[in-house]
Amino acid sequence: MNCKQFNSIKLEEVLQILGHLPTKQTEKEAWFLNPFAKENHASFKINKNLNYWYLHSEGIGGNNVNFMKNI
């Protein structure tokens, strides 16, 4: 599998495989607790349409490959 193929997988599915479930979600976005550190309030958001994530508590984000680089 190359990076382009990996980025086409829904990040929401990747997180679920890793054991992370959304705390809230809508049609357009899903919120999770920070998968890189412990926190009490969800600050990790996935844009479902773009399949991009943004971690508000750290000001970082990107695609699936960027996510895996941070694990």
Side-chain angles (χ1 to χ4, degrees):
M1 176 179 292
N2 62 34
C3 291
K4 186 176 180 178
Q5 292 168 324
F6 182 61
N7 282 331
S8 70
I9 298 170
K10 291 182 181 180
L11 183 55
E12 194 171 2
E13 292 175 9
V14 173
L15 284 167
Q16 288 178 353
I17 290 168
L18 295 174
H20 301 282
L21 300 174
T23 59
K24 60 183 173 180
Q25 59 183 323
T26 66
E27 287 182 29
K28 296 180 182 179
E29 61 188 26
W31 289 84
F32 294 80
L33 295 175
N34 184 345
F36 311 124
K38 292 190 180 209
E39 67 180 8
N40 295 324
H41 300 286
S43 66
F44 186 89
K45 180 176 86 170
I46 295 176
N47 180 313
K48 293 181 180 184
N49 296 330
L50 300 175
N51 200 37
Y52 270 62
W53 61 275
Y54 186 77
L55 181 56
H56 290 270
S57 62
E58 295 185 25
I60 59 174
N63 58 28
N64 292 4
V65 172
N66 302 123
F67 174 78
M68 294 306 286
K69 287 179 182 178
N70 284 291
I71 289 186

Short mmCIF file of all heavy atoms in Angstrom, two decimals:
data_model
loop_
_atom_site.label_atom_id
_atom_site.label_comp_id
_atom_site.label_asym_id
_atom_site.label_seq_id
_atom_site.Cartn_x
_atom_site.Cartn_y
_atom_site.Cartn_z
N MET A 1 0.85 -1.17 0.00
CA MET A 1 0.00 0.00 0.00
C MET A 1 0.90 1.24 0.00
O MET A 1 1.84 1.33 0.78
CB MET A 1 -0.89 -0.02 1.25
CG MET A 1 -1.75 1.22 1.39
SD MET A 1 -2.82 1.23 2.84
CE MET A 1 -3.95 -0.05 2.43
N ASN A 2 0.59 2.18 -0.88
CA ASN A 2 1.36 3.41 -0.91
C ASN A 2 0.61 4.52 -0.14
O ASN A 2 -0.50 4.30 0.35
CB ASN A 2 1.67 3.83 -2.35
CG ASN A 2 0.44 4.11 -3.17
OD1 ASN A 2 -0.58 4.60 -2.68
ND2 ASN A 2 0.51 3.80 -4.46
N CYS A 3 1.22 5.69 -0.03
CA CYS A 3 0.63 6.79 0.74
C CYS A 3 -0.71 7.24 0.17
O CYS A 3 -1.65 7.53 0.92
CB CYS A 3 1.59 7.97 0.80
SG CYS A 3 3.06 7.65 1.79
N LYS A 4 -0.82 7.31 -1.14
CA LYS A 4 -2.08 7.74 -1.76
C LYS A 4 -3.21 6.77 -1.40
O LYS A 4 -4.31 7.20 -1.08
CB LYS A 4 -1.91 7.84 -3.27
CG LYS A 4 -3.10 8.40 -3.98
CD LYS A 4 -2.83 8.58 -5.47
CE LYS A 4 -4.05 9.16 -6.16
NZ LYS A 4 -3.81 9.39 -7.59
N GLN A 5 -2.93 5.50 -1.44
CA GLN A 5 -3.94 4.49 -1.08
C GLN A 5 -4.30 4.60 0.39
O GLN A 5 -5.47 4.50 0.76
CB GLN A 5 -3.42 3.09 -1.40
CG GLN A 5 -3.28 2.81 -2.88
CD GLN A 5 -2.51 1.54 -3.15
OE1 GLN A 5 -1.55 1.20 -2.45
NE2 GLN A 5 -2.90 0.83 -4.20
N PHE A 6 -3.31 4.79 1.25
CA PHE A 6 -3.56 4.90 2.69
C PHE A 6 -4.40 6.14 3.00
O PHE A 6 -5.30 6.10 3.83
CB PHE A 6 -2.25 4.93 3.48
CG PHE A 6 -2.46 4.99 4.96
CD1 PHE A 6 -3.14 3.98 5.61
CD2 PHE A 6 -1.98 6.05 5.70
CE1 PHE A 6 -3.34 4.02 6.99
CE2 PHE A 6 -2.17 6.11 7.06
CZ PHE A 6 -2.86 5.09 7.71
N ASN A 7 -4.13 7.25 2.32
CA ASN A 7 -4.90 8.47 2.54
C ASN A 7 -6.34 8.35 2.08
O ASN A 7 -7.20 9.11 2.52
CB ASN A 7 -4.24 9.67 1.87
CG ASN A 7 -3.07 10.19 2.66
OD1 ASN A 7 -3.02 10.07 3.88
ND2 ASN A 7 -2.10 10.76 1.97
N SER A 8 -6.64 7.39 1.24
CA SER A 8 -8.02 7.21 0.77
C SER A 8 -8.89 6.45 1.78
O SER A 8 -10.11 6.45 1.67
CB SER A 8 -8.04 6.50 -0.58
OG SER A 8 -7.64 5.15 -0.45
N ILE A 9 -8.26 5.83 2.77
CA ILE A 9 -9.02 5.14 3.83
C ILE A 9 -9.58 6.19 4.78
O ILE A 9 -8.91 7.17 5.11
CB ILE A 9 -8.10 4.17 4.60
CG1 ILE A 9 -7.55 3.10 3.67
CG2 ILE A 9 -8.83 3.55 5.78
CD1 ILE A 9 -6.47 2.24 4.29
N LYS A 10 -10.81 5.98 5.24
CA LYS A 10 -11.41 6.93 6.17
C LYS A 10 -10.64 6.90 7.48
O LYS A 10 -10.46 5.85 8.10
CB LYS A 10 -12.87 6.57 6.44
CG LYS A 10 -13.76 6.78 5.24
CD LYS A 10 -15.19 6.43 5.59
CE LYS A 10 -16.08 6.63 4.38
NZ LYS A 10 -17.48 6.32 4.69
N LEU A 11 -10.18 8.08 7.91
CA LEU A 11 -9.41 8.18 9.15
C LEU A 11 -10.25 7.74 10.35
O LEU A 11 -9.74 7.18 11.31
CB LEU A 11 -8.88 9.59 9.35
CG LEU A 11 -8.00 9.80 10.58
CD1 LEU A 11 -6.82 8.84 10.60
CD2 LEU A 11 -7.51 11.24 10.64
N GLU A 12 -11.53 7.94 10.26
CA GLU A 12 -12.43 7.51 11.33
C GLU A 12 -12.31 5.99 11.53
O GLU A 12 -12.31 5.49 12.66
CB GLU A 12 -13.85 7.90 10.97
CG GLU A 12 -14.82 7.81 12.11
CD GLU A 12 -16.16 8.43 11.75
OE1 GLU A 12 -16.36 8.88 10.61
OE2 GLU A 12 -17.01 8.44 12.64
N GLU A 13 -12.17 5.24 10.45
CA GLU A 13 -12.01 3.79 10.53
C GLU A 13 -10.65 3.42 11.12
O GLU A 13 -10.54 2.48 11.90
CB GLU A 13 -12.18 3.16 9.15
CG GLU A 13 -13.58 3.24 8.61
CD GLU A 13 -13.70 2.71 7.18
OE1 GLU A 13 -12.73 2.11 6.66
OE2 GLU A 13 -14.77 2.90 6.59
N VAL A 14 -9.61 4.16 10.75
CA VAL A 14 -8.28 3.92 11.30
C VAL A 14 -8.31 4.11 12.81
O VAL A 14 -7.78 3.29 13.56
CB VAL A 14 -7.24 4.86 10.64
CG1 VAL A 14 -5.88 4.73 11.32
CG2 VAL A 14 -7.11 4.58 9.15
N LEU A 15 -8.94 5.19 13.27
CA LEU A 15 -9.02 5.45 14.71
C LEU A 15 -9.79 4.36 15.44
O LEU A 15 -9.39 3.93 16.52
CB LEU A 15 -9.67 6.81 14.97
CG LEU A 15 -8.78 8.02 14.70
CD1 LEU A 15 -9.60 9.29 14.68
CD2 LEU A 15 -7.69 8.11 15.74
N GLN A 16 -10.86 3.88 14.84
CA GLN A 16 -11.64 2.82 15.47
C GLN A 16 -10.81 1.54 15.59
O GLN A 16 -10.87 0.85 16.61
CB GLN A 16 -12.93 2.58 14.71
CG GLN A 16 -13.93 3.69 14.91
CD GLN A 16 -15.21 3.51 14.12
OE1 GLN A 16 -15.33 2.60 13.31
NE2 GLN A 16 -16.17 4.38 14.36
N ILE A 17 -10.03 1.22 14.58
CA ILE A 17 -9.16 0.04 14.64
C ILE A 17 -8.14 0.20 15.76
O ILE A 17 -7.79 -0.77 16.44
CB ILE A 17 -8.46 -0.19 13.28
CG1 ILE A 17 -9.48 -0.65 12.24
CG2 ILE A 17 -7.31 -1.19 13.40
CD1 ILE A 17 -8.97 -0.64 10.82
N LEU A 18 -7.69 1.43 16.00
CA LEU A 18 -6.73 1.71 17.07
C LEU A 18 -7.39 1.82 18.44
O LEU A 18 -6.72 2.06 19.44
CB LEU A 18 -5.94 2.99 16.74
CG LEU A 18 -5.04 2.93 15.52
CD1 LEU A 18 -4.44 4.29 15.22
CD2 LEU A 18 -3.93 1.89 15.72
N GLY A 19 -8.71 1.70 18.48
CA GLY A 19 -9.43 1.71 19.76
C GLY A 19 -9.98 3.05 20.19
O GLY A 19 -10.37 3.21 21.35
N HIS A 20 -10.04 4.04 19.30
CA HIS A 20 -10.55 5.37 19.62
C HIS A 20 -11.95 5.52 19.03
O HIS A 20 -12.15 5.32 17.84
CB HIS A 20 -9.64 6.46 19.06
CG HIS A 20 -8.25 6.38 19.57
ND1 HIS A 20 -7.90 6.83 20.82
CD2 HIS A 20 -7.12 5.88 19.02
CE1 HIS A 20 -6.60 6.63 21.01
NE2 HIS A 20 -6.11 6.06 19.93
N LEU A 21 -12.89 5.90 19.88
CA LEU A 21 -14.27 6.11 19.44
C LEU A 21 -14.62 7.59 19.55
O LEU A 21 -14.13 8.28 20.46
CB LEU A 21 -15.23 5.28 20.29
CG LEU A 21 -15.00 3.77 20.24
CD1 LEU A 21 -15.92 3.07 21.22
CD2 LEU A 21 -15.20 3.24 18.85
N PRO A 22 -15.47 8.10 18.67
CA PRO A 22 -15.82 9.52 18.72
C PRO A 22 -16.66 9.84 19.96
O PRO A 22 -17.45 9.02 20.42
CB PRO A 22 -16.64 9.74 17.45
CG PRO A 22 -17.13 8.39 17.07
CD PRO A 22 -16.13 7.40 17.57
N THR A 23 -16.44 11.04 20.50
CA THR A 23 -17.25 11.49 21.63
C THR A 23 -18.51 12.18 21.14
O THR A 23 -19.51 12.21 21.84
CB THR A 23 -16.47 12.45 22.54
OG1 THR A 23 -16.05 13.59 21.78
CG2 THR A 23 -15.25 11.75 23.14
N LYS A 24 -18.44 12.75 19.94
CA LYS A 24 -19.61 13.33 19.28
C LYS A 24 -19.33 13.39 17.79
O LYS A 24 -18.18 13.42 17.36
CB LYS A 24 -19.96 14.71 19.83
CG LYS A 24 -18.88 15.75 19.67
CD LYS A 24 -19.26 17.07 20.31
CE LYS A 24 -18.08 18.03 20.29
NZ LYS A 24 -18.41 19.31 20.90
N GLN A 25 -20.41 13.39 17.00
CA GLN A 25 -20.22 13.46 15.55
C GLN A 25 -21.48 13.98 14.87
O GLN A 25 -22.57 13.89 15.40
CB GLN A 25 -19.79 12.13 14.99
CG GLN A 25 -20.72 10.97 15.22
CD GLN A 25 -20.11 9.68 14.67
OE1 GLN A 25 -19.46 9.67 13.63
NE2 GLN A 25 -20.34 8.59 15.36
N THR A 26 -21.26 14.53 13.68
CA THR A 26 -22.32 14.97 12.80
C THR A 26 -22.05 14.36 11.43
O THR A 26 -21.13 13.56 11.29
CB THR A 26 -22.35 16.52 12.69
OG1 THR A 26 -21.15 16.95 12.04
CG2 THR A 26 -22.48 17.18 14.05
N GLU A 27 -22.83 14.75 10.45
CA GLU A 27 -22.57 14.26 9.09
C GLU A 27 -21.21 14.70 8.56
O GLU A 27 -20.58 13.99 7.79
CB GLU A 27 -23.64 14.77 8.13
CG GLU A 27 -24.99 14.13 8.29
CD GLU A 27 -25.98 14.66 7.27
OE1 GLU A 27 -25.57 15.06 6.17
OE2 GLU A 27 -27.18 14.67 7.60
N LYS A 28 -20.77 15.89 8.99
CA LYS A 28 -19.56 16.48 8.43
C LYS A 28 -18.30 16.28 9.26
O LYS A 28 -17.19 16.37 8.74
CB LYS A 28 -19.76 17.98 8.24
CG LYS A 28 -20.83 18.30 7.23
CD LYS A 28 -20.99 19.80 7.08
CE LYS A 28 -22.09 20.12 6.09
NZ LYS A 28 -22.27 21.56 5.94
N GLU A 29 -18.44 16.04 10.58
CA GLU A 29 -17.25 15.94 11.42
C GLU A 29 -17.45 14.96 12.57
O GLU A 29 -18.57 14.61 12.92
CB GLU A 29 -16.87 17.32 11.96
CG GLU A 29 -17.93 17.95 12.84
CD GLU A 29 -17.61 19.38 13.20
OE1 GLU A 29 -16.90 20.06 12.46
OE2 GLU A 29 -18.09 19.82 14.26
N ALA A 30 -16.31 14.53 13.12
CA ALA A 30 -16.31 13.65 14.29
C ALA A 30 -15.25 14.17 15.25
O ALA A 30 -14.16 14.57 14.83
CB ALA A 30 -16.01 12.21 13.89
N TRP A 31 -15.58 14.17 16.53
CA TRP A 31 -14.66 14.64 17.57
C TRP A 31 -14.20 13.46 18.42
O TRP A 31 -15.00 12.62 18.82
CB TRP A 31 -15.35 15.66 18.46
CG TRP A 31 -15.59 16.96 17.78
CD1 TRP A 31 -16.64 17.29 16.97
CD2 TRP A 31 -14.76 18.10 17.84
NE1 TRP A 31 -16.51 18.57 16.52
CE2 TRP A 31 -15.36 19.11 17.04
CE3 TRP A 31 -13.56 18.41 18.48
CZ2 TRP A 31 -14.81 20.37 16.88
CZ3 TRP A 31 -13.01 19.67 18.32
CH2 TRP A 31 -13.63 20.63 17.53
N PHE A 32 -12.90 13.43 18.71
CA PHE A 32 -12.29 12.38 19.51
C PHE A 32 -11.44 13.01 20.60
O PHE A 32 -10.98 14.14 20.47
CB PHE A 32 -11.37 11.52 18.64
CG PHE A 32 -12.05 10.72 17.58
CD1 PHE A 32 -12.42 11.31 16.38
CD2 PHE A 32 -12.31 9.38 17.76
CE1 PHE A 32 -13.04 10.57 15.38
CE2 PHE A 32 -12.92 8.62 16.77
CZ PHE A 32 -13.30 9.22 15.59
N LEU A 33 -11.17 12.23 21.65
CA LEU A 33 -10.14 12.63 22.60
C LEU A 33 -8.80 12.53 21.88
O LEU A 33 -8.64 11.73 20.96
CB LEU A 33 -10.16 11.73 23.83
CG LEU A 33 -11.42 11.79 24.69
CD1 LEU A 33 -11.33 10.75 25.80
CD2 LEU A 33 -11.64 13.18 25.27
N ASN A 34 -7.86 13.32 22.31
CA ASN A 34 -6.53 13.35 21.71
C ASN A 34 -5.93 11.94 21.67
O ASN A 34 -5.71 11.34 22.72
CB ASN A 34 -5.65 14.29 22.52
CG ASN A 34 -4.27 14.47 21.94
OD1 ASN A 34 -3.83 13.72 21.09
ND2 ASN A 34 -3.58 15.49 22.41
N PRO A 35 -5.65 11.39 20.50
CA PRO A 35 -5.08 10.05 20.41
C PRO A 35 -3.59 10.01 20.76
O PRO A 35 -3.01 8.94 20.89
CB PRO A 35 -5.32 9.64 18.97
CG PRO A 35 -5.42 10.90 18.22
CD PRO A 35 -5.98 11.92 19.17
N PHE A 36 -2.96 11.17 20.90
CA PHE A 36 -1.53 11.25 21.17
C PHE A 36 -1.21 11.51 22.64
O PHE A 36 -0.07 11.38 23.05
CB PHE A 36 -0.88 12.34 20.32
CG PHE A 36 -1.24 12.27 18.85
CD1 PHE A 36 -1.81 13.35 18.22
CD2 PHE A 36 -1.04 11.11 18.12
CE1 PHE A 36 -2.15 13.29 16.88
CE2 PHE A 36 -1.38 11.04 16.78
CZ PHE A 36 -1.93 12.14 16.16
N ALA A 37 -2.21 11.94 23.42
CA ALA A 37 -2.00 12.27 24.83
C ALA A 37 -3.34 12.16 25.55
O ALA A 37 -4.39 12.14 24.93
CB ALA A 37 -1.45 13.69 24.96
N LYS A 38 -3.29 12.13 26.88
CA LYS A 38 -4.53 12.05 27.66
C LYS A 38 -5.14 13.43 27.79
O LYS A 38 -4.44 14.42 27.99
CB LYS A 38 -4.24 11.46 29.04
CG LYS A 38 -3.84 10.02 28.97
CD LYS A 38 -3.79 9.39 30.33
CE LYS A 38 -3.38 7.94 30.13
NZ LYS A 38 -3.89 7.08 31.15
N GLU A 39 -6.47 13.48 27.67
CA GLU A 39 -7.20 14.72 27.87
C GLU A 39 -8.63 14.38 28.29
O GLU A 39 -9.09 13.26 28.11
CB GLU A 39 -7.18 15.60 26.62
CG GLU A 39 -7.93 15.05 25.44
CD GLU A 39 -7.88 15.96 24.22
OE1 GLU A 39 -7.15 16.96 24.21
OE2 GLU A 39 -8.59 15.65 23.26
N ASN A 40 -9.33 15.38 28.83
CA ASN A 40 -10.70 15.18 29.32
C ASN A 40 -11.76 15.65 28.33
O ASN A 40 -12.90 15.20 28.40
CB ASN A 40 -10.90 15.90 30.65
CG ASN A 40 -10.03 15.31 31.73
OD1 ASN A 40 -9.80 14.11 31.77
ND2 ASN A 40 -9.51 16.16 32.61
N HIS A 41 -11.41 16.56 27.44
CA HIS A 41 -12.36 17.11 26.48
C HIS A 41 -11.83 16.88 25.07
O HIS A 41 -10.65 17.10 24.80
CB HIS A 41 -12.57 18.61 26.71
CG HIS A 41 -13.09 18.92 28.07
ND1 HIS A 41 -14.38 18.67 28.44
CD2 HIS A 41 -12.49 19.44 29.17
CE1 HIS A 41 -14.57 19.03 29.69
NE2 HIS A 41 -13.41 19.49 30.16
N ALA A 42 -12.71 16.46 24.19
CA ALA A 42 -12.32 16.16 22.81
C ALA A 42 -11.79 17.40 22.10
O ALA A 42 -12.46 18.43 22.07
CB ALA A 42 -13.50 15.58 22.05
N SER A 43 -10.59 17.31 21.56
CA SER A 43 -10.01 18.41 20.79
C SER A 43 -9.50 17.93 19.43
O SER A 43 -8.94 18.70 18.67
CB SER A 43 -8.86 19.06 21.56
OG SER A 43 -7.78 18.17 21.71
N PHE A 44 -9.69 16.65 19.13
CA PHE A 44 -9.25 16.06 17.87
C PHE A 44 -10.46 15.95 16.95
O PHE A 44 -11.39 15.20 17.24
CB PHE A 44 -8.64 14.68 18.14
CG PHE A 44 -8.02 14.03 16.95
CD1 PHE A 44 -6.69 14.24 16.63
CD2 PHE A 44 -8.75 13.17 16.13
CE1 PHE A 44 -6.10 13.62 15.53
CE2 PHE A 44 -8.18 12.54 15.04
CZ PHE A 44 -6.86 12.78 14.74
N LYS A 45 -10.45 16.71 15.86
CA LYS A 45 -11.60 16.75 14.96
C LYS A 45 -11.22 16.20 13.60
O LYS A 45 -10.16 16.49 13.07
CB LYS A 45 -12.08 18.19 14.80
CG LYS A 45 -13.28 18.31 13.87
CD LYS A 45 -13.79 19.73 13.80
CE LYS A 45 -13.05 20.49 12.76
NZ LYS A 45 -13.64 21.80 12.46
N ILE A 46 -12.13 15.40 13.04
CA ILE A 46 -11.98 14.89 11.67
C ILE A 46 -13.04 15.54 10.80
O ILE A 46 -14.22 15.52 11.14
CB ILE A 46 -12.16 13.37 11.61
CG1 ILE A 46 -11.07 12.66 12.38
CG2 ILE A 46 -12.18 12.89 10.16
CD1 ILE A 46 -11.25 11.17 12.43
N ASN A 47 -12.61 16.10 9.68
CA ASN A 47 -13.53 16.57 8.66
C ASN A 47 -13.81 15.37 7.77
O ASN A 47 -12.92 14.90 7.05
CB ASN A 47 -12.91 17.71 7.85
CG ASN A 47 -13.82 18.23 6.78
OD1 ASN A 47 -14.42 17.47 6.02
ND2 ASN A 47 -13.92 19.54 6.69
N LYS A 48 -15.01 14.83 7.86
CA LYS A 48 -15.35 13.59 7.14
C LYS A 48 -15.34 13.78 5.62
O LYS A 48 -15.00 12.85 4.89
CB LYS A 48 -16.72 13.08 7.58
CG LYS A 48 -16.75 12.60 9.01
CD LYS A 48 -18.14 12.11 9.34
CE LYS A 48 -18.26 11.60 10.75
NZ LYS A 48 -19.60 11.04 11.02
N ASN A 49 -15.71 14.96 5.14
CA ASN A 49 -15.74 15.20 3.69
C ASN A 49 -14.34 15.25 3.09
O ASN A 49 -14.12 14.74 1.99
CB ASN A 49 -16.49 16.49 3.38
CG ASN A 49 -17.95 16.43 3.77
OD1 ASN A 49 -18.55 15.36 3.76
ND2 ASN A 49 -18.51 17.56 4.14
N LEU A 50 -13.40 15.86 3.80
CA LEU A 50 -12.04 15.99 3.29
C LEU A 50 -11.11 14.88 3.78
O LEU A 50 -10.01 14.73 3.26
CB LEU A 50 -11.46 17.35 3.71
CG LEU A 50 -12.19 18.59 3.22
CD1 LEU A 50 -11.57 19.85 3.82
CD2 LEU A 50 -12.15 18.66 1.70
N ASN A 51 -11.56 14.13 4.80
CA ASN A 51 -10.75 13.10 5.44
C ASN A 51 -9.46 13.70 5.99
O ASN A 51 -8.37 13.14 5.84
CB ASN A 51 -10.45 11.93 4.51
CG ASN A 51 -10.05 10.69 5.27
OD1 ASN A 51 -10.58 10.41 6.34
ND2 ASN A 51 -9.11 9.94 4.71
N TYR A 52 -9.58 14.87 6.60
CA TYR A 52 -8.47 15.56 7.24
C TYR A 52 -8.78 15.70 8.72
O TYR A 52 -9.93 15.80 9.11
CB TYR A 52 -8.25 16.95 6.63
CG TYR A 52 -7.30 16.95 5.47
CD1 TYR A 52 -7.58 16.23 4.32
CD2 TYR A 52 -6.11 17.65 5.53
CE1 TYR A 52 -6.71 16.23 3.24
CE2 TYR A 52 -5.24 17.66 4.46
CZ TYR A 52 -5.54 16.95 3.33
OH TYR A 52 -4.68 16.93 2.27
N TRP A 53 -7.74 15.73 9.54
CA TRP A 53 -7.90 15.89 10.97
C TRP A 53 -7.22 17.16 11.44
O TRP A 53 -6.32 17.68 10.77
CB TRP A 53 -7.32 14.69 11.72
CG TRP A 53 -5.85 14.46 11.49
CD1 TRP A 53 -5.28 13.78 10.45
CD2 TRP A 53 -4.77 14.93 12.29
NE1 TRP A 53 -3.92 13.78 10.56
CE2 TRP A 53 -3.58 14.49 11.69
CE3 TRP A 53 -4.68 15.67 13.46
CZ2 TRP A 53 -2.31 14.76 12.23
CZ3 TRP A 53 -3.43 15.95 13.98
CH2 TRP A 53 -2.26 15.48 13.37
N TYR A 54 -7.65 17.65 12.60
CA TYR A 54 -7.01 18.81 13.22
C TYR A 54 -7.08 18.62 14.72
O TYR A 54 -8.15 18.31 15.27
CB TYR A 54 -7.70 20.12 12.82
CG TYR A 54 -6.97 21.33 13.34
CD1 TYR A 54 -5.81 21.77 12.71
CD2 TYR A 54 -7.40 22.01 14.45
CE1 TYR A 54 -5.11 22.86 13.17
CE2 TYR A 54 -6.72 23.12 14.93
CZ TYR A 54 -5.57 23.54 14.29
OH TYR A 54 -4.87 24.62 14.76
N LEU A 55 -5.96 18.78 15.38
CA LEU A 55 -5.87 18.66 16.83
C LEU A 55 -5.79 20.07 17.40
O LEU A 55 -4.74 20.71 17.36
CB LEU A 55 -4.66 17.81 17.23
CG LEU A 55 -4.44 17.58 18.71
CD1 LEU A 55 -5.68 16.95 19.36
CD2 LEU A 55 -3.23 16.70 18.93
N HIS A 56 -6.91 20.56 17.89
CA HIS A 56 -7.00 21.94 18.38
C HIS A 56 -6.06 22.21 19.55
O HIS A 56 -5.51 23.30 19.65
CB HIS A 56 -8.45 22.26 18.77
CG HIS A 56 -9.36 22.34 17.59
ND1 HIS A 56 -9.59 23.51 16.90
CD2 HIS A 56 -10.08 21.40 16.95
CE1 HIS A 56 -10.42 23.29 15.90
NE2 HIS A 56 -10.73 22.00 15.91
N SER A 57 -5.87 21.25 20.43
CA SER A 57 -5.03 21.47 21.60
C SER A 57 -3.55 21.67 21.26
O SER A 57 -2.81 22.27 22.03
CB SER A 57 -5.17 20.31 22.60
OG SER A 57 -4.75 19.09 22.02
N GLU A 58 -3.12 21.18 20.09
CA GLU A 58 -1.72 21.32 19.69
C GLU A 58 -1.52 22.12 18.41
O GLU A 58 -0.40 22.40 18.02
CB GLU A 58 -1.08 19.93 19.54
CG GLU A 58 -1.02 19.18 20.86
CD GLU A 58 -0.29 17.86 20.75
OE1 GLU A 58 0.56 17.71 19.85
OE2 GLU A 58 -0.58 16.98 21.57
N GLY A 59 -2.61 22.42 17.71
CA GLY A 59 -2.52 23.22 16.49
C GLY A 59 -1.88 22.48 15.33
O GLY A 59 -1.20 23.10 14.50
N ILE A 60 -2.07 21.17 15.25
CA ILE A 60 -1.52 20.38 14.15
C ILE A 60 -2.64 19.61 13.46
O ILE A 60 -3.72 19.45 14.02
CB ILE A 60 -0.43 19.40 14.62
CG1 ILE A 60 -0.98 18.41 15.67
CG2 ILE A 60 0.79 20.14 15.15
CD1 ILE A 60 -0.02 17.32 16.08
N GLY A 61 -2.38 19.14 12.26
CA GLY A 61 -3.39 18.38 11.53
C GLY A 61 -2.83 17.85 10.23
O GLY A 61 -1.65 17.97 9.95
N GLY A 62 -3.72 17.25 9.44
CA GLY A 62 -3.29 16.73 8.14
C GLY A 62 -4.10 15.54 7.69
O GLY A 62 -5.24 15.36 8.09
N ASN A 63 -3.45 14.71 6.90
CA ASN A 63 -4.10 13.52 6.34
C ASN A 63 -3.71 12.29 7.15
O ASN A 63 -3.10 12.39 8.21
CB ASN A 63 -3.74 13.38 4.85
CG ASN A 63 -2.25 13.30 4.62
OD1 ASN A 63 -1.50 12.84 5.49
ND2 ASN A 63 -1.81 13.72 3.47
N ASN A 64 -4.04 11.11 6.65
CA ASN A 64 -3.75 9.86 7.37
C ASN A 64 -2.25 9.65 7.58
O ASN A 64 -1.83 9.19 8.65
CB ASN A 64 -4.31 8.66 6.60
CG ASN A 64 -5.81 8.62 6.58
OD1 ASN A 64 -6.48 9.51 7.08
ND2 ASN A 64 -6.37 7.58 5.99
N VAL A 65 -1.46 9.96 6.57
CA VAL A 65 -0.01 9.78 6.69
C VAL A 65 0.53 10.70 7.78
O VAL A 65 1.33 10.27 8.62
CB VAL A 65 0.70 10.02 5.34
CG1 VAL A 65 2.21 10.03 5.51
CG2 VAL A 65 0.28 8.97 4.32
N ASN A 66 0.07 11.95 7.82
CA ASN A 66 0.48 12.88 8.88
C ASN A 66 0.09 12.36 10.26
O ASN A 66 0.83 12.50 11.22
CB ASN A 66 -0.13 14.27 8.67
CG ASN A 66 0.24 14.88 7.35
OD1 ASN A 66 -0.63 15.22 6.58
ND2 ASN A 66 1.52 15.03 7.09
N PHE A 67 -1.09 11.75 10.34
CA PHE A 67 -1.56 11.18 11.59
C PHE A 67 -0.60 10.08 12.07
O PHE A 67 -0.17 10.06 13.22
CB PHE A 67 -2.97 10.62 11.43
CG PHE A 67 -3.47 9.88 12.63
CD1 PHE A 67 -3.94 10.57 13.73
CD2 PHE A 67 -3.45 8.49 12.67
CE1 PHE A 67 -4.38 9.90 14.87
CE2 PHE A 67 -3.89 7.81 13.79
CZ PHE A 67 -4.36 8.52 14.88
N MET A 68 -0.26 9.16 11.18
CA MET A 68 0.61 8.04 11.55
C MET A 68 2.00 8.51 11.93
O MET A 68 2.66 7.89 12.76
CB MET A 68 0.68 7.02 10.43
CG MET A 68 -0.65 6.31 10.16
SD MET A 68 -1.38 5.54 11.61
CE MET A 68 -0.33 4.13 11.82
N LYS A 69 2.46 9.61 11.36
CA LYS A 69 3.78 10.15 11.73
C LYS A 69 3.80 10.65 13.17
O LYS A 69 4.86 10.69 13.79
CB LYS A 69 4.16 11.31 10.81
CG LYS A 69 4.53 10.90 9.42
CD LYS A 69 4.88 12.12 8.58
CE LYS A 69 5.21 11.76 7.17
NZ LYS A 69 5.51 12.96 6.35
N ASN A 70 2.63 11.01 13.71
CA ASN A 70 2.56 11.54 15.07
C ASN A 70 2.33 10.49 16.14
O ASN A 70 2.40 10.79 17.32
CB ASN A 70 1.44 12.58 15.16
CG ASN A 70 1.86 13.89 14.54
OD1 ASN A 70 2.71 14.57 15.08
ND2 ASN A 70 1.29 14.21 13.39
N ILE A 71 2.03 9.27 15.72
CA ILE A 71 1.79 8.21 16.73
C ILE A 71 3.08 7.80 17.36
O ILE A 71 4.07 7.68 16.83
CB ILE A 71 1.05 7.01 16.10
CG1 ILE A 71 -0.35 7.41 15.80
CG2 ILE A 71 1.09 5.82 17.01
CD1 ILE A 71 -1.24 6.30 15.32
#
